[in-house]
Amino acid sequence: NSQLNLWKAEATDYDVPWMLVRYEAKNEPALTAWSGPFTLANLRRLLNSPMRQAVLSHLTRGASGVFVLMTSGDEKEDRTALELLHAKLGRFEKAIKLEPQGKEGPQIRWPLPLKVWFPVLVLDRTKPEEAALVRLLLSTGEELPAAKGPIVFAIYGKGRVLPGITGKDLNERMLFQVAEFLC
């Protein structure tokens, strides 16, 4: 019965079969990140895209985190955000030092070499092949679908993503906090 209610709430045109991608949030009910007809094309879009491959390439070469700039369509704002990312993240790569690994404390179980490296990728939110990824990223924050300017996402580890940074929060201080957290 709960699945039927979920389907009725999510499936706007009641196509069958229907697919939901949901995630658990601590102390909150599961949230829907994506929903749509269960087709082979939708499944492929959910699992793979050129941007996902680019992120994966950087993560599997040891990036501390990949910063993805989702464009807004306002060329000036997008360019300003991209310049901020390149200028500040390059500085942070030199300033942030990794904690030496010892026998005490959490152990990193990652076969890749550890380094402070923050590649920047640009995601055009209007590209059809990235539509599923765009919807998934926008679902990381309640305010993000309505955000007007560029949005920056930090993707790290095994593909985890931090909530997007936009508006006044897209500044040097916030970027440093995110970069430091990733390291």
Side-chain angles (χ1 to χ4, degrees):
N1 196 18
S2 65
Q3 290 179 345
L4 179 61
N5 290 337
L6 181 60
W7 177 68
K8 286 179 180 178
E10 297 287 343
T12 56
D13 56 5
Y14 298 102
D15 280 345
V16 179
W18 194 259
M19 181 170 49
L20 294 173
V21 176
R22 297 173 58 83
Y23 61 92
E24 298 285 330
K26 286 186 179 178
N27 303 321
E28 294 179 25
L31 302 171
T32 300
W34 187 93
S35 68
F38 187 16
T39 64
L40 186 55
N42 278 343
L43 185 59
R44 283 187 177 136
R45 281 187 212 108
L46 277 170
L47 298 176
N48 201 5
S49 74
M51 181 57 66
R52 285 174 191 247
Q53 289 302 311
V55 169
L56 177 64
S57 173
H58 287 301
L59 291 177
T60 57
R61 288 184 290 142
S64 304
V66 179
F67 284 76
V68 175
L69 171 66
M70 183 184 295
T71 59
S72 66
D74 181 325
E75 288 184 33
K76 184 179 177 193
E77 280 192 48
D78 294 341
R79 186 173 41 258
T80 300
L82 185 60
E83 289 169 358
L84 174 73
L85 288 170
H86 283 299
K88 301 306 177 188
L89 294 175
R91 229 180 72 218
F92 300 160
E93 287 175 349
K94 294 175 181 77
I96 296 173
K97 303 296 179 214
L98 293 173
E99 292 288 324
Q101 291 294 297
K103 291 184 180 181
E104 295 183 26
Q107 299 298 307
I108 295 178
R109 296 180 185 147
W110 192 248
L112 301 173
L114 296 176
K115 54 187 165 184
V116 180
W117 176 37
F118 305 114
V120 176
L121 298 173
V122 177
L123 173 61
D124 179 348
R125 71 170 75 201
T126 64
K127 289 197 171 190
E129 65 270 21
E130 301 296 351
L133 178 61
V134 167
R135 282 181 60 189
L136 289 168
L137 291 173
L138 291 176
S139 75
T140 64
E142 231 175 76
E143 73 290 350
L144 295 179
K148 299 293 182 210
I151 306 171
V152 173
F153 298 91
I155 302 175
Y156 65 102
K158 295 180 179 179
R160 293 182 176 169
V161 62
L162 295 176
I165 308 167
T166 189
K168 292 182 285 184
D169 290 334
L170 185 49
N171 59 51
E172 179 179 4
R173 187 175 143 267
M174 180 63 78
L175 290 174
F176 183 77
Q177 289 176 346
V178 169
E180 196 172 48
F181 168 79
L182 294 174
C183 290

